[in-house]
Amino acid sequence: MHIITQHELSQICVNQIIIYLRKSRAERNETVEEVLARHEKILQDYAIQTFGEKIPEANIYREIVSGETLDERIEIKKVFNRLENEPIRALLVVEPQRISRGRLTDCGRVIDILEYTALPVRALRPVPDDRHALRHSAPGSPDRRSH
């Protein structure tokens, strides 16, 4: 893996970026709609700052259900389908945990998809080892798409 530079990041077109929004259990004092709206604003502000414009509505996925497994979450399945079949260059989330939680097999599916597509994921709230860097597979790693 290597870290994508700010210059490389700025070369990505907003039509090649997906935003995935999902409410966590920790946000119990807000409705799903309030949480998703707040997170969307955070991510769109980041997109404007970084890419010069908002991510198009067609590239925003709002998970309304609180499914325990990936199979119960319709929007993430749509995201994964696009990641595997379209030239998507980045995925924006508020926190990495928004992509997957629950069963270990689901985590493995997420990792497999992200490795297969060599997709940078940008989480705006860091986890302890996140240094706000986008990462993707190193040159020479198996990747069916050229970037």
Side-chain angles (χ1 to χ4, degrees):
M1 295 183 122
H2 82 276
I3 297 173
I4 293 178
T5 66
Q6 190 64 30
H7 175 72
E8 290 171 314
L9 181 61
S10 69
Q11 302 302 307
I12 297 175
C13 171
V14 293
N15 291 322
Q16 299 172 309
I17 301 169
I18 287 178
I19 287 179
Y20 179 69
L21 305 165
R22 185 174 68 81
K23 180 183 180 198
S24 77
R25 289 181 178 163
E27 298 163 313
R28 296 172 200 240
N29 296 332
E30 296 176 272
T31 66
V32 171
E33 293 77 14
E34 291 169 334
V35 170
L36 299 187
R38 183 169 47 83
H39 290 182
E40 183 173 346
K41 180 176 180 354
I42 291 168
L43 295 171
Q44 288 289 25
D45 287 349
Y46 171 80
I48 291 168
Q49 176 186 354
T50 305
F51 307 105
E53 59 186 304
K54 287 184 171 186
I55 305 303
E57 179 64 31
N59 288 12
I60 301 172
Y61 292 83
R62 297 168 184 90
E63 198 73 70
I64 305 299
V65 300
S66 61
E68 278 295 317
T69 68
L70 291 177
D71 290 331
E72 298 171 56
R73 294 173 31 212
I74 293 165
E75 296 303 307
I76 197 68
K77 290 194 291 187
K78 291 177 187 176
V79 168
F80 290 163
N81 184 55
R82 288 193 63 193
L83 297 181
E84 293 174 318
N85 295 299
E86 296 180 30
I88 300 301
R89 300 279 309 276
L91 175 61
L92 298 180
V93 295
V94 173
E95 297 172 329
Q97 301 91 316
R98 304 300 164 143
I99 301 170
S100 179
R101 68 172 168 82
R103 299 186 325 200
L104 189 55
T105 55
D106 286 344
C107 293
R109 284 173 60 193
V110 170
I111 290 167
D112 286 348
I113 289 168
L114 296 180
E115 284 183 352
Y116 174 72
T117 61
L119 184 78
V121 176
R122 177 68 169 182
L124 297 189
R125 292 185 188 162
V127 292
D129 64 342
D130 183 6
R131 304 226 179 355
H132 288 294
L134 291 172
R135 300 161 196 247
H136 69 77
S137 297
S141 296
D143 179 11
R144 63 174 182 74
R145 296 189 308 210
S146 59
H147 294 292

